[in-house]
Amino acid sequence: MYHRNVLVMLSGHFLNRGICSAETTRDDRAEAQTVSEISPSPHRWEPVMSVKTGTKLGRHLLAVWALVSGLALAGCGTAGGGGAANAAGGGEAAGAGKTVALVTPQKAGDGGPTDNLIAGLDKLKAAGYSTRSIAATDPSSHESTLRNLARSGASVIVVAFSEFIQPLKTVAPEFPDTKFVHVYADAYKPTIPNVQTVTFDTQGPSYLAGVLAATVSKTGVIGFIGGTALPALYADFHAYQAGAKATRTDITVKSAFVGSFGDPVKGQQIAQTMFNNKVDVVLAYAGGSSLGVVKAADQAKTHVIYDNDESPETAGSVIAVASQHYGGTMARNVLTIDSGTWKPGETVAGLADGGTFLDPAKQLASTGETAAGVTKAFASVESVKQKIIQGTIDVPFNTDPV
């Protein structure tokens, strides 16, 4: 969603904050002829999350290294789509004759950040780029994978999450004519001339979620459920609470952490306890554990602001989604190469450019009579969003433990 000077965490949005294990199949390796063989050894990974507050981009980034057990995001499936080669291209557009390679530490198919990044490749195809996506699930293959892609002529290599920090620092200087974009990573110190990092401001959507929750709550008691207790999520909680308090001074905000981004059962138990104690709206920033929060809300007839892609399972109780546009941000940054505005170093995606967002649920109508109130509340949310972007509202950044 997730940060400032840094300890590095997770995404996502934020993640979309969570970890996943993934396994590369023999077919995937066979397709990756120009890339080093990716062994099928499964592992768990945690993306890097970074946050800035409002428009105060001068603040330090925080990133929190956190290895957590359990699957994250929306279930972390290993379905296809993240294999070694998705080639396309054509057209005499800006990217004609150029190739963008996306390398991620997990396969696609779970509706999480990897799927979102791969979807972003479509925008690059439309600009004339040939594209390919590679699921490199074995950390020992990362350096050779990047090196082989650069040698094979990839114009731009995009990597995602913290797994690739050291491999990229090693490989990028060897290929000064190749551009590298590292999504969900804090700025490299010192800056590498051909490397750009992308961080996401998740405090903005958190503050807006507080505005929404306080507006639609009937009991005056709202909640926040995070995955693991980390500074980045503490910052999200404090932003959420600030948005709620600014909207309704008498609001009560409760918080809890699952202890994992991949334990929906415990997520459900914690949410049930909250709902049994007057909480009627919860912001779930718990990755895979968030689905358990949704199930508890279904039973309690309460509501959730969700952090993952919607699905049939989230219909009925999810009123909004707070997350990041990984793929769209990646594509926008790559396209700046052709426009001549690309720069190495840190870039920050947030509310102003749509990199982060709080949107009404696509299945909002399934919430019944609540839908009208949520729709009305979003008018206030939009007004506050514009003030954050303009700098008239300063979203607080506070990593004090909750």
Side-chain angles (χ1 to χ4, degrees), residues 1 50-54 199-205 348-351 356:
M1 216 97 171
S50 290
V51 255
K52 288 185 179 290
T53 302
T199 61
F200 293 87
D201 166 10
T202 60
Q203 261 74 70
V348 180
L351 293 174
T356 61

Side-chain angles (χ1 to χ4, degrees), residues 97-127:
K98 300 178 182 178
T99 299
V100 175
L102 169 65
V103 188
T104 62
Q106 72 164 124
K107 291 174 67 67
D110 65 0
T114 295
D115 296 76
N116 196 285
L117 284 164
I118 291 175
L121 292 177
D122 290 338
K123 295 183 179 180
L124 297 176
K125 291 177 186 178

Side-chain angles (χ1 to χ4, degrees), residues 42-86:
H43 71 289
R44 301 188 187 283
W45 60 271
E46 180 163 304
V48 179
M49 277 207 310
S50 290
V51 255
K52 288 185 179 290
T53 302
T55 55
K56 303 296 184 180
L57 301 186
R59 297 190 181 188
H60 293 298
L61 281 172
L62 161 93
V64 184
W65 284 110
L67 278 179
V68 276
S69 60
L71 300 179
L73 309 165
C76 298
T78 56
N86 281 338

Side-chain angles (χ1 to χ4, degrees), residues 232-285:
L233 286 182
Y234 294 153
D236 287 335
F237 166 78
H238 289 298
Y240 174 67
Q241 179 175 247
K245 293 286 188 181
T247 303
R248 187 171 168 181
T249 57
D250 64 341
I251 199 77
T252 297
V253 186
K254 297 186 176 182
S255 65
F257 292 87
V258 178
S260 168
F261 290 98
D263 190 345
V265 173
K266 188 173 181 181
Q268 182 172 355
Q269 293 171 344
I270 290 173
Q272 286 172 336
T273 299
M274 279 197 177
F275 295 142
N276 288 337
N277 286 276
K278 296 185 178 180
V279 171
D280 61 349
V281 183
V282 163
L283 171 59
Y285 269 179

